[in-house]
Amino acid sequence: RLEKILYTKGPLYDKAKIINDKIIDAFLTKPTDRYFSISCLGAGDPFASKLTRDMLYNIKGNKFPNLQVFLGTNGLMFTEKVWNKMHKIHHNLFRCDISVDAGTKETYEQKTRLGGDWELLLTNCDFLNSITNNYKNFVIAYYFVAQVENYKEMPVFAKLFLDRYDNADQLFFKKVNDWDTWNKEEFEQRAIWKTTHPDHEQFLDVLKDPIFDNPKIFLGNLTKYRNNALNR
């Protein structure tokens, strides 16, 4: 996204609330021990959405012992205060994917996460890393979407987060995809993974770094590019 999209009132908010209320009525009203999950992934940060926040704060987890909650967030709003507000579902939290997309403060705040706060991100991640000692079913994974603005920091990110977060479950890398965020020309300029990109060979050189052999690192759709780099 190039700008914030936030609905707290108005027709779009009202429409979303109707859907949200139907979901709560269907799945989160009558206690049950059946297995089911809630995935707050891919539709914006759950902690930036009033509807999703309210839902997460109010689910009575003890009434749904086999409910698993998945979260996808940029980590900036996942503070200790927010964690405490979700106390009713602490034992239902199953996984949290935190998107980082940088290895340094400069790149994070000035290139990939404009308006972000690198120190706040690390502070929140420090806290989340510590609480997983008491919630063994709750795992934290860190994500890095590789593009021209950040690909040189892939090893930097990997080393920092592997060294700093002993309870990290996984570091997940993937290539930037076209979600119509940019026009075609700008996307092509960012898509470092494309063999037609003028810096593609430098991208392959970065992927040769032995840190990517760490078992906690998953290269996903970048795997074939590392294989190409190592087999050159």
Side-chain angles (χ1 to χ4, degrees):
R1 296 179 177 180
L2 299 178
E3 58 186 20
K4 288 184 179 179
I5 302 175
L6 188 63
Y7 302 117
T8 57
K9 60 182 179 179
L12 291 175
Y13 173 83
D14 293 339
K15 181 179 179 180
K17 189 175 187 309
I18 289 171
I19 297 171
N20 186 261
D21 289 347
K22 287 182 177 180
I23 293 172
I24 291 173
D25 183 62
F27 297 102
L28 297 170
T29 301
K30 184 179 179 181
T32 179
D33 62 355
R34 67 179 174 177
Y35 287 84
F36 68 109
S37 64
I38 295 174
S39 295
C40 301
L41 300 165
D45 198 293
F47 303 115
S49 165
K50 182 180 185 306
L51 284 173
T52 306
R53 273 200 320 271
D54 289 347
M55 179 183 67
L56 294 173
Y57 293 167
N58 290 299
I59 296 172
K60 295 180 174 63
N62 60 338
K63 292 186 176 181
F64 309 100
N66 294 313
L67 163 65
Q68 295 179 338
V69 178
F70 296 79
L71 302 171
T73 174
N74 63 25
L76 293 176
M77 297 183 71
F78 202 167
T79 61
E80 183 174 357
K81 181 179 179 180
V82 166
W83 166 262
N84 291 333
K85 285 186 175 182
M86 291 196 298
H87 65 93
K88 296 175 186 175
I89 57 168
H90 281 175
H91 291 284
N92 301 100
L93 294 174
F94 189 74
R95 181 183 176 93
C96 180
D97 295 337
I98 299 177
S99 53
V100 179
D101 304 339
T104 65
K105 174 183 174 70
E106 179 183 5
T107 296
Y108 185 82
E109 295 184 357
Q110 299 181 23
K111 295 180 180 180
T112 60
R113 294 282 172 179
L114 297 178
D117 185 327
W118 180 249
E119 281 78 19
L120 176 60
L121 170 70
L122 295 181
T123 296
N124 291 346
C125 290
D126 288 344
F127 170 73
L128 293 172
N129 185 74
S130 69
I131 59 96
T132 54
N133 288 321
N134 298 319
Y135 297 91
K136 297 300 183 182
N137 292 326
F138 182 43
V139 300
I140 310 290
Y142 299 96
Y143 276 63
F144 189 109
V145 178
Q147 56 149 307
V148 73
E149 299 281 13
N150 64 8
Y151 77 92
K152 293 180 180 179
E153 293 186 3
M154 291 169 65
V156 178
F157 160 80
K159 185 176 190 315
L160 172 63
F161 278 71
L162 288 172
D163 289 348
R164 187 165 181 139
Y165 302 117
D166 57 319
N167 288 334
D169 180 66
Q170 188 179 73
L171 271 60
F172 195 105
F173 292 84
K174 57 184 177 180
K175 63 185 181 182
V176 66
N177 285 319
D178 189 1
W179 284 20
D180 293 325
T181 301
W182 305 288
N183 60 42
K184 180 175 176 56
E185 182 179 347
E186 186 169 1
F187 174 74
E188 292 294 322
Q189 189 272 332
R190 290 177 181 270
I192 190 70
W193 52 270
K194 289 195 173 187
T195 56
T196 54
H197 195 285
D199 295 334
H200 183 72
E201 291 298 314
Q202 296 180 48
F203 172 62
L204 295 182
D205 287 340
V206 171
L207 285 172
K208 290 180 181 179
D209 196 297
I211 199 167
F212 296 114
D213 293 323
N214 189 291
K216 284 191 173 185
I217 291 180
F218 183 64
L219 288 174
N221 55 21
L222 293 179
T223 300
K224 71 175 183 179
Y225 301 102
R226 183 162 200 258
N227 292 337
N228 291 343
L230 295 177
N231 292 327
R232 285 193 302 173

